[in-house]
Amino acid sequence: MRIASWNVNSLNVRLPHLEQWLRERAPDVAALQETKLEDSRFPDDALAALGYHSVFAGQKTYNGVALLSRMPATDVQIGIPGFEDEQRRVIAATFGDLRVVNLYVVNGHSVGSEKYAYKLRWLDAVHGWLASERLRWPNLVVLGDFNIAPADRDTHDPAIWNDDSILTSTAERAALRRLEGLGLADSYRWFSDEAGQFSWWDYRAAAFRRNLGLRIDLVLASEGLRPRATGAAIDREPRTWERPSDHAPVWLDID
DNA sequence: ATGGTAGGGCACCTA
């Protein structure tokens, strides 16, 4: 079973990319972020033609998340329970014995900004919710665009991406570690200790060609899934296509 | 190099 995540940065623009990628990589579950589409415009018919069910929570212009799956979703949850938020950043659903939580974590703009405070508040609310999800579901996968690079080896330059930089600051990394403290592991690290493996590259300054990136798209999995895990990947190929998303798809394969 | 590029939507905001 392949569980994937991809920040598509506008599904309106990236639908052809997504269709090709679904055909080639055949994920069983795909979590999408930054769909930037109102629900009435979600291309569920086109995705159904490829054999995927869709559940989604979108809005105009910004944010938007979706879960595509071979089997229908049950127990769909949109948003963080008890946390008022107009921004569509969270959708969760159950597929068989697996609970899947798709997150588009707040970017945060810059350390100390209002958006940064919102990011930390939002992550705190996610932590509280996931603590109960973790008890309810032994097989829990929390994946998406975390907008946090877990460690220095997940950045192209730790001098730039330091304790005071957005996406790598001390408080952001502490929030990520708190989520991991619930018994969730960065599953990519079950398979690779390599530095310089990135999932996002800025559109500017030829960052992809120069591999100036960050690994901020993560698949956290409950420790009980580790014996079932058979591989993890960052799929750089769609980043080489014409008019790409700035993010690469990532995935975890489990038996 | 406080720039650079991309998406949405038509003036800037977000990333």
Side-chain angles (χ1 to χ4, degrees), chain A residues 126-144:
Chain A
V126 165
H127 177 268
W129 172 47
L130 291 184
S132 60
E133 289 288 288
R134 181 76 180 88
L135 296 175
R136 194 166 300 145
W137 304 94
N139 299 321
L140 177 63
V141 171
V142 181
L143 77 175

Side-chain angles (χ1 to χ4, degrees), chain A residues 1-3 28 191 228-233 251-255:
Chain A
M1 188 176 189
R2 173 164 293 170
I3 304 144
D28 295 285
F191 297 93
R228 287 169 60 183
T230 57
W251 66 66
L252 172 67
D253 289 331
I254 58 173
D255 281 332

Side-chain angles (χ1 to χ4, degrees), chain A residues 98-118:
Chain A
L98 202 68
R99 183 66 168 169
V100 177
V101 176
N102 176 15
L103 302 180
Y104 174 45
V105 175
V106 176
N107 173 287
H109 185 260
S110 56
V111 173
S113 66
E114 270 184 41
K115 288 177 182 141
Y116 184 73
Y118 165 54

